[in-house]
Amino acid sequence: MSKLLVVIGITGTQGSSVADAFLAAKNWRVRGVTRNPSKPAAQEWASRGVEIVSGNMDDVESLVNAFAGAQAIFAMTDYWYPIRDPAVRANATERGISADQLCAELETQRGKNMALAAASPAVQRTLERYVWSSLGDVSRLSGGKFTHVWHFDSKAAVEQYIREDPEIGKAGLTAKASFIHVGLYTDNWRRSGSEIQKDPVTGGYWHVTFDDGRTKLPFVWARRDTGPLVQKLVEDVQPGARLLAVSQFADYREFMAVWAQTLGQKLAGEDGIKRISEEEFRNMLPPVEDIRDHLMSTWLFFVNFGYDGGDPKIIYPKDIGAEHLMTSLEDYIKQEDWSSLLR
């Protein structure tokens, strides 16, 4: 008899990857939870045999219903979704806090709501594994130097809640939970103009940054590689793991070298790096002061402490026998559609 995996955010990058991996396994059924089951992306999953249900992250009881009968749950939140909502910004202004801080509060509460639902007796009757998509506790890992990397700290707060809250532990969820920290998306070039730019003078390409381009980062093809790692956590790894989802470690000089060689392009600058000042980099970010502060703090943390902040409890795909499931940068670049960039 097949088991049931419930996927939160099935129409997003991570959730889609998880659904793909488990659909390919004949011993699993997949149920997707989404805000709007009628939207085309959700209906496309329904056409592939996924059961699509509605779930409200602000309503624990609706999540209990969505989780009912599951043997495994993949839970995640999208920090950036509410920050685009004018009502969220208006609420933040009324409270005298930044929209970033409010989004962190929302994400933390919604993550806790999912944990509360998963810890309910109705869900615990069948649940065997719970995987939370988390990130590092930057405020702690940086010794208080960076306290505005909201989208890391909010996910970390949920992880701490699942690991340490007495009631969650007593209910049985803590003993069934694992945590995946997803690395830097290889396709961030679609979202950020500084990732890969064309030099109008030489026609070569470079990555724009305020550091020297030698910071090692855990690149991950999240749409492809998240799912196989979650499947390993569910099927083969004892609960409690904190796994960094990384397809390949590289710095941006290495990334640009592989990119240029694979696509037959030439590099500009110094090994494909255009170095600018921190102020210039900050001015390239979205023209909203709290978002600029947030994103600048994020990159400064990476440069000063590394993506995972040197967390000694982090494990890697090689530690769970999953390294061979990951996609190299070269293979990602070969399979990506670069037509919007190479014009």
Side-chain angles (χ1 to χ4, degrees):
M1 184 176 177
S2 60
K3 293 184 176 184
L4 174 64
L5 168 78
V6 174
V7 179
I8 295 287
I10 194 168
T11 60
T13 299
Q14 295 181 33
S16 293
S17 182
V18 173
D20 277 341
F22 280 83
L23 281 175
K26 302 304 181 184
N27 58 326
W28 285 95
R29 295 176 291 118
V30 178
R31 176 188 295 160
V33 183
T34 184
R35 288 179 290 263
N36 181 7
S38 65
K39 66 182 178 181
Q43 288 304 302
E44 184 177 342
W45 283 108
S47 71
R48 294 180 56 188
V50 173
E51 178 191 2
I52 297 295
V53 301
S54 176
N56 184 345
M57 294 183 188
D58 298 317
D59 181 351
V60 174
E61 196 56 40
S62 80
L63 295 170
V64 171
N65 293 333
F67 293 165
Q71 278 73 45
I73 298 169
F74 172 72
M76 55 85 61
T77 46
D78 181 356
Y79 169 89
W80 300 103
Y81 179 81
I83 209 166
R84 299 188 290 268
D85 185 347
V88 170
R89 289 203 161 271
N91 187 7
T93 300
E94 184 178 338
R95 289 181 52 192
I97 62 174
S98 71
D100 289 77
Q101 182 177 344
L102 179 54
C103 286
E105 292 178 5
L106 288 170
E107 180 169 58
T108 301
Q109 187 58 59
R110 288 167 178 172
K112 289 181 177 181
N113 287 346
M114 283 185 275
L116 283 168
S120 69
V123 178
Q124 282 293 305
R125 275 197 292 269
T126 59
L127 191 68
E128 298 171 4
R129 293 287 190 273
Y130 187 83
V131 180
W132 167 249
S133 180
S134 190
L135 285 170
D137 185 346
V138 169
S139 293
R140 178 182 61 81
L141 292 166
S142 69
K145 184 172 183 179
F146 298 109
T147 58
H148 288 175
V149 185
W150 302 103
H151 70 297
F152 272 60
D153 282 1
S154 52
K155 291 179 176 67
V158 177
E159 177 174 343
Q160 182 178 10
Y161 175 73
I162 296 169
R163 287 185 182 276
E164 300 179 8
D165 183 82
E167 293 303 313
I168 292 295
K170 183 179 179 181
L173 185 64
T174 302
K176 300 174 181 178
S178 296
F179 307 87
I180 185 166
H181 290 210
V182 180
L184 196 68
Y185 285 20
T186 52
D187 64 351
N188 271 347
W189 62 275
R190 296 183 180 277
R191 305 171 187 88
S192 170
S194 66
E195 288 291 306
I196 304 176
Q197 288 185 359
K198 187 173 185 177
D199 175 18
V201 177
T202 67
Y205 290 84
W206 53 26
H207 169 74
V208 182
T209 181
F210 61 86
D211 73 324
D212 62 4
R214 292 190 171 91
T215 300
K216 287 287 185 184
L217 294 163
F219 287 98
V220 60
W221 190 0
R223 180 61 182 83
R224 176 72 62 85
D225 290 352
T226 306
L229 291 177
V230 170
Q231 188 173 6
K232 288 288 286 185
L233 287 175
V234 167
E235 295 182 336
D236 300 327
V237 180
Q238 287 296 310
R242 179 181 291 157
L243 174 69
L244 180 63
V246 50
S247 304
Q248 182 176 335
F249 280 100
D251 60 39
Y252 268 107
R253 289 175 185 260
E254 294 166 331
F255 183 101
M256 292 303 298
V258 175
W259 183 86
Q261 183 175 2
T262 303
L263 299 179
Q265 299 294 323
K266 65 179 182 179
L267 296 176
E270 181 185 333
D271 296 333
I273 298 296
K274 178 183 179 181
R275 191 169 186 177
I276 60 177
S277 69
E278 289 186 21
E279 182 179 1
E280 289 171 315
F281 186 86
R282 184 185 181 91
N283 288 337
M284 292 176 61
L285 298 173
V288 181
E289 192 59 27
D290 57 318
I291 294 179
R292 282 184 169 179
D293 181 49
H294 180 164
L295 295 177
M296 195 70 201
S297 294
T298 303
W299 282 105
L300 284 167
F301 171 72
F302 294 166
V303 170
N304 285 275
F305 293 92
Y307 190 90
D308 61 12
D311 185 344
K313 295 183 179 179
I314 284 282
I315 63 172
Y316 306 96
K318 63 181 177 60
D319 298 320
I320 61 170
E323 195 170 21
H324 68 287
L325 300 174
M326 301 296 95
T327 308
S328 68
L329 286 177
E330 180 180 356
D331 284 343
Y332 159 70
I333 292 165
K334 285 178 179 177
Q335 296 174 62
E336 180 62 278
D337 178 5
W338 299 95
S339 58
S340 63
L341 183 68
L342 303 177
R343 293 175 177 173

